[in-house]
Structures are given as structure tokens and as C-alpha cells.
Amino acid sequence: MPRLLRPAFLLACSLLCSIALAQTNHLASVDAVPAHPRILLAPGGEKAIARKIAADPVARQVHELIMAESGRLLQVAPLERVMTGKRLLHVSREALRRLFFLSYAYRMSGDARYAARGEREMLAVAAFTDWNPSHFLDVGEMTMAMAIGYDWLNAQLPVDSRARIREAIIAKGIDPSLVPAQNSWLKVSNNWNQVCNAGMVFGAMAVYEDQPDKARAIINRAIDSVALPMQAYMPDGAYPEGYNYWGYGTGFNVLLVSALENMFGQSFGLGDKPGFMETADYLLHMTGPSGLPFNYSDAVTGQELFPAMFWYAQRRNAPSLLWQQRTLITDGKPAAIVGNRLLPALMLWLGEQNLGAIAPPAKTVWSGQGSNPVALMRSSWTDPAAIFVGIKGGSPSNSHGHMDGGSFVMDADGVRWAMDFGMQEYESLESKKVDLWNMKQDSQRWQVFRYGNQTHNTLTVNGQLQQVDGKAYLTAVDATPARMSATVEMAWLYKGTLSKATRQIAIVDKAQVSVVDEVAAGPAAATVRWTMLTGARVELISPRVAELRKNGKRLRVHLDAPLNATLATWPTTPPHDYDAANPGTTLLGFDTALAAGQSAQLRVRLVPVH
């Protein structure tokens, strides 16, 4: 009598068949795969890293930090399945950090203690009830963690442990990605697609010889699917989700490309997608002389080390891309560096670059179009007192977007004078039942103090929000050294209230910043508010001049037009119990009233005082 197949097995077979039928067979020519280890670093690759460590003090510094942290991890208890709200993500990320570090330490030293500690971590994670597939980022990162440990430590794992870890990668990582209710990320164009697909590919690579059909289907699916978010880099490389999400989405995308190339000798066209190689320039230019990034949208306020930049610098033979990344290593805080879960990848991507002899970048102006266009300009790369300006267009409807079309940041004398709050920690809002991910015009998201246009360095008309379905366009950029400028057309964001809203921001003679808005009211009268958020102490020294002071430096804000407007300040006191506190910040600006159809020019100068 024929054996009856279990329903779960039949479902898995059905799902596997469906994804196989719906994809390109990129791996058709792959007859065999290399033995373990095969993910990112082939056997013998350790020798090239060792030579780099011996020759380059900066590389040696990173290596020693990884080894020291791996030694500390020998004494740390394995992770437990502890949720934070709806997420297991903090556990998954720490698992990735630990297993990447420990696996690297083993491969570079041959010390079996690191392999044994990695085995303990993997067995603990394998015993979790699940890896929280309802929030699939958690599964993506956990699967990558387990795949790296399983692959890099494979020869040191006892047969029983190897089987338990492999089964967990399949049952708790790969198989949940075959369930339609849990894989909507396959069709999105944001970082979820990049992270989850990378995690699934790493898992498939790890178990390839045991589940060849399933592994091929997962890898083929990822190559097709990840092309969707990679379209967002077109045409120039500007990443729509902003600074630190560049590090997240692009970092995992680079891991995916690098792993494909290492295992199969090619990226199946992913590395050649338009804008993908250029996006490193976007990240390079995003940080000002203050050491702070242009943190628009849901970005953090501080600068981060991004190992992916080392892959780009090697691939493009462009060491100047590491101008700021190197400084983060040599002058940064070791605790922050070893907290980076992708840090070992940096060591894999060093190539022949001499990190001790990097020339400054050649261009002082960079701009990128796309769904969230941005222009970035500075007076110098080597002068710590240089002026820096970043301005953006875009739409609130972008992934992780804020109502910040036309907003800018500005540095001078090493101080961030015009700032952006950036993100509020998601759990702090979700735990209070804020409807955070609803992007509609009347959503509660736009009531969060940090997310609306009223607290960004842009315009607010009649106290109203910008239009979610609107967009600001970057229409002109001028790199002339005496007047570097960018122009943003913002009228669509204020449809119904303004018939014209064009902003030009410029660095003039490398000595001051000019902000000029050309506005016109629509069919009804309108009150336009111009705002600039600052972390400096503000003194109104006349109706049209304010002096800002911070860190012993001074900046004067001159209101040149309209003549009937006067400068004022407003507090940043949070209006809701769910809003984050904003200590030490002030909104500076002015109001101007326009009659129906009336035009006006708003002119402000930001002048460092020496």
C-alpha cells in the first residue's frame, strides 16, 4: 500500500513548485558547488587577510578589535528568545554579530574554542520555537547568522550538531519564506526585500548539498526579487530611505552580491544594476564636517561605520570612498565599532587598498535624482571648519519618509547649526498604539512631532501638513566653487495653498549660506512659516537677526526678506505623551502673510561669525 504523504510535506512541495515555475533559472549552468566553507570567503582566503593585517595598521586595528571581542564572547551565555514588542530583531542581530565574529576568529586563528562557542550559540538558536516569521526581518538576519556559522565552522561541528543546525536553517529560516502570508517582502522595493532575500540566500548556500532543489529555487527567486529594490538606486545612486537605511539595505545587498560572486563566480547581473555602483558616492557625501550625517527620514543622528563601503572602494578602485570610514576606525570608539554585526565583512573586502594613504575626494558637490532626490555640497573636504549643506526633495509617501521635502541641514566651524531630529525609536511609538506605518494623509503617523513638516527646515502653510501624495523635485544643481547651489521645486507638496514654492540654497564664496524661497499664494490668502531647527542656543539680537552659539562657535541668521517679517523662536516641547523629548533644541523662523495670488521672496542668510 502506498505511503501517505503528510499535508505539511505536500504544502511545502506545492510552494516549492510554484516558486520554481515563476522564476528564471539563473543557476541552470551550475553543476556542483564548492565544499564548505563557501560563503563569502573560500578556503585559503585567510592568507590574503593575514597579509593585509601585517601590512596595514588600520586593518590590524580592526582585526584586533574583532579578536578581542570574540575572546570576550567566549564567556558570554548564549542568547535566549526574548521578544521586544512584535520583534525578535535585536536577538537576531546579536546572533549575527556573535556568529560572524566567532566564525571569523576561528578561521583566522584556528583556535577551536571559537568554533565550540559558535556551536553553543547555534544550538541555542536552533532550539527556539521559531525565529518570529510574523516580522520576517528577524528570520532573515537569524538565517544569515546561522548560515555563516554553519558554513565557516562546518568541519568543527559534530555530526549531531551539524544536523540540528541544518534542520533549523531549513525549518525555521527557509521554509517560512515559502509561505505566502510571510513573504510579502518579495514584492516590496525597500530594505525588507534586500535583507530577507540575502538571509534566505545565505541559508540556501549553507544547506545546498542537502537540499539542492530547494536551495536553487530560493537563490533563483532572490535574484529575480531583489532586482525590485535595486531599481531604487536609479539613476545616480541616491538611496530613497536615507542614511542608515542605506547601510542596512545596501549592506545586505552587497553581502548578497558578494556571496553569489564567491560561490558561483558571478552576480547574475545584480552588480551591474544602474545606480548600484554609484550609490557609494551618495553615502560618502552624506556626512558633513561636524561628523553628522544628513539624517532625513527615519535616520539616526550619528555617523556609522559601513563595511559595504570597503567593498565599493575595492570594486571601483576608489580608496577616497573610505575618507570618512577610515576616520571612524582610527578616531572612533572601539565599543561602537565592535557593535557592528557586519564588521568581519570589512576584513574580507579590503583588497589591496592602503588605508593609511587615502586622498580626499575630488568633488565637493554631489546630487542624485530618484524618488527621494538629494543635493550635497561643501566648501572643503580637509578644512574642519568647512561649510556643508544637504537639501532634499522627495515625498512623504517614500518608505520611512517624513514630511521633509525641501528640508536642509547645515554645518560650519564643525557645528551642525541646522539640524534634523531624524527618527523616533519605533517601539516607543508602537507600544503606545500609534498607527505608525499608515502613510495616509490623515494618519496618526503625521501627528508624531518629529515626522511633520512643522519641525523640519522647510515651509508650513496655514499650519497644514505637506501633501502625502505630493513630491518635491531637484531641478538644478550648480557646482561653481564661488556659488555652489541646488534648487528644489516644492509646489506639489502645498497644492491648494501655494501656486509656487521654489527653494534655492547656496554656499556663497565658501563663506556663508543663502536660502531663497520664491512663493505665491493660491486662490486664497495664505500664511507661510519658514522654520529652521537648531541645537544651538538662540538669541534674537534684533527683529531680523538671530545669533546662534554652540561649542564656542557662533552663527548669525539674517532675515533679508520679506521686509515686514520678524524672526521668532518656538519651543520643541512634545505635544503628545508618545512623542520623544527634544532637550536643547529650538525652532527659529518667521511667518509671512500672503494675499490671494500674491508672490513673495523669502531670503535668509546663515553666516558663521569668526
Side-chain angles (χ1 to χ4, degrees):
M1 186 175 182
R3 180 171 58 91
L4 294 177
L5 298 177
R6 291 176 296 170
F9 177 78
L10 291 171
L11 175 61
C13 289
S14 174
L15 292 170
L16 188 58
C17 290
S18 68
I19 63 169
L21 290 172
Q23 63 191 211
T24 304
N25 188 7
H26 300 281
L27 303 186
S29 61
V30 175
D31 297 323
V33 297
H36 297 288
R38 54 178 172 242
I39 298 175
L40 294 176
L41 184 66
E46 302 90 346
K47 294 179 181 179
I49 297 174
R51 289 194 297 270
K52 188 64 180 177
I53 292 167
D56 192 325
V58 180
R60 184 161 58 253
Q61 182 179 349
V62 176
H63 170 77
E64 290 174 352
L65 285 171
I66 296 173
M67 296 303 296
E69 178 64 8
S70 298
R72 189 191 71 82
L73 288 172
L74 293 175
Q75 310 303 320
V76 176
L79 290 162
E80 298 179 359
R81 190 185 185 282
V82 179
M83 299 281 289
T84 299
K86 66 181 182 180
R87 294 173 175 84
L88 188 66
L89 192 53
H90 67 293
V91 178
S92 298
R93 288 175 170 173
E94 177 61 8
L96 178 53
R97 189 183 78 91
R98 292 184 182 188
L99 287 168
F100 212 168
F101 275 55
L102 290 164
S103 300
Y104 172 90
Y106 168 71
R107 291 194 66 175
M108 293 304 299
S109 69
D111 189 333
R113 292 180 303 160
Y114 299 116
R117 177 63 185 85
E119 178 191 0
R120 285 181 60 213
E121 198 72 65
M122 286 188 285
L123 290 175
V125 170
F128 289 2
T129 53
D130 60 40
W131 298 342
N132 197 35
S134 64
H135 190 261
F136 211 86
L137 282 179
D138 312 6
V139 182
E141 294 215 29
M142 193 72 85
T143 305
M144 179 176 284
M146 295 285 275
I148 291 172
Y150 179 82
D151 180 62
W152 284 22
L153 306 177
N154 197 271
Q156 290 292 310
L157 296 173
V159 173
D160 178 64
S161 294
R162 200 181 303 160
R164 289 161 62 187
I165 296 164
R166 180 174 62 246
E167 177 58 30
I169 290 172
I170 297 168
K172 297 173 184 178
I174 294 173
D175 284 352
S177 81
L178 304 177
V179 179
Q182 296 169 171
N183 65 16
S184 59
W185 45 268
L186 288 167
K187 298 180 180 179
V188 302
S189 58
N190 59 35
N191 65 82
W192 276 67
N193 185 309
Q194 296 167 300
V195 174
C196 295
N197 269 313
M200 294 306 101
V201 166
F202 273 56
M205 288 178 169
V207 302
Y208 199 101
E209 66 271 36
D210 300 283
Q211 296 277 341
D213 291 339
K214 183 177 290 188
R216 279 192 293 268
I218 292 296
I219 295 169
N220 281 325
R221 181 186 70 175
I223 294 168
D224 288 341
S225 172
V226 81
L228 182 59
M230 293 185 75
Q231 292 177 8
Y233 294 100
M234 296 173 60
D236 314 293
Y239 189 72
E241 295 183 293
Y243 176 77
N244 62 297
Y245 277 104
W246 182 97
Y248 195 30
T250 307
F252 278 76
N253 211 138
V254 165
L255 283 167
L256 171 57
V257 170
S258 182
L260 289 171
E261 291 177 337
N262 189 74
M263 186 159 164
F264 301 115
Q266 60 173 312
S267 70
F268 303 96
L270 295 183
D272 301 320
K273 295 292 184 184
F276 188 62
M277 296 307 299
E278 292 80 6
T279 193
D281 295 295
Y282 161 84
L283 195 282
L284 169 68
H285 285 261
M286 279 281 280
T287 298
S290 66
L292 299 175
F294 185 7
N295 59 317
Y296 60 82
S297 300
D298 276 346
V300 297
T301 55
Q303 190 178 11
E304 294 185 15
L305 180 67
F306 294 128
M309 287 294 282
F310 291 77
W311 182 85
Y312 280 109
Q314 176 194 28
R315 182 59 57 91
R316 291 174 45 181
N317 191 26
S320 64
L321 290 172
L322 303 177
W323 179 253
Q324 296 156 327
Q325 297 291 305
R326 178 193 59 184
T327 303
L328 283 171
I329 295 170
T330 57
D331 299 342
K333 298 178 181 179
I337 295 173
V338 299
N340 190 313
R341 61 194 181 282
L342 304 185
L343 186 62
L346 184 158
M347 301 300 297
L348 313 184
W349 296 330
L350 286 172
E352 300 304 317
Q353 299 165 109
N354 181 0
L355 299 182
I358 297 175
K363 294 183 178 180
T364 54
V365 176
W366 186 90
S367 63
Q369 294 289 351
S371 64
N372 226 353
V374 61
L376 309 155
M377 45 198 172
R378 69 191 68 221
S379 58
S380 170
W381 279 103
T382 56
D383 182 0
I387 293 177
F388 166 80
V389 167
I391 186 169
K392 69 178 296 293
S395 171
S397 63
N398 282 317
S399 177
H400 291 283
H402 289 194
M403 290 187 167
D404 57 6
S407 190
F408 68 93
V409 295
M410 181 260 185
D411 289 357
D413 294 325
V415 175
R416 172 62 50 92
W417 297 105
M419 61 173 283
D420 192 306
F421 279 130
M423 72 173 293
Q424 180 173 337
E425 201 277 323
Y426 302 144
E427 176 61 18
S428 71
L429 295 165
E430 292 170 345
S431 63
K432 295 181 179 177
K433 310 302 180 185
V434 174
D435 191 11
L436 184 58
W437 304 109
N438 182 342
M439 307 292 280
K440 294 180 180 179
Q441 186 70 42
D442 59 354
S443 166
Q444 191 180 11
R445 176 182 180 86
W446 308 121
Q447 302 306 315
V448 176
F449 188 66
R450 294 186 176 188
Y451 287 29
N453 45 287
Q454 298 94 334
T455 53
H456 285 94
N457 303 331
T458 187
L459 305 178
T460 299
V461 183
N462 298 336
Q464 297 176 14
L465 297 171
Q466 290 182 342
Q467 295 297 306
V468 169
D469 61 353
K471 181 179 178 179
Y473 293 90
L474 182 64
T475 57
V477 177
D478 190 338
T480 304
R483 187 180 175 85
M484 296 173 273
S485 68
T487 304
V488 176
E489 172 54 58
M490 307 185 291
W492 192 4
L493 295 172
Y494 303 101
K495 60 183 177 182
T497 57
L498 296 181
S499 60
K500 181 178 182 180
T502 302
R503 166 166 286 185
Q504 184 185 81
I505 193 166
I507 300 177
V508 181
D509 296 327
K510 301 184 179 181
Q512 60 181 291
V513 172
S514 165
V515 185
V516 178
D517 294 303
E518 302 278 354
V519 297
T527 298
V528 178
R529 173 167 289 189
W530 187 103
T531 50
M532 187 182 94
L533 177 68
T534 184
R537 183 167 61 87
V538 181
E539 179 184 0
L540 298 176
I541 60 176
S542 79
R544 304 175 64 78
V545 179
E547 184 164 284
L548 280 57
R549 295 174 180 262
K550 188 172 183 179
N551 300 340
K553 307 296 183 179
R554 294 186 295 159
L555 178 89
R556 286 199 171 176
V557 179
H558 297 263
L559 171 55
D560 294 333
L563 295 177
N564 61 350
T566 58
L567 289 170
T569 61
W570 300 277
T572 56
T573 307
H576 312 106
D577 64 355
Y578 53 71
D579 284 316
N582 307 302
T585 59
T586 303
L587 281 166
L588 170 68
F590 60 92
D591 290 328
T592 186
L594 303 176
Q598 181 183 357
S599 299
Q601 187 179 80
L602 319 180
R603 289 189 285 117
V604 177
R605 287 180 295 123
L606 312 176
V607 185
V609 180
H610 299 122

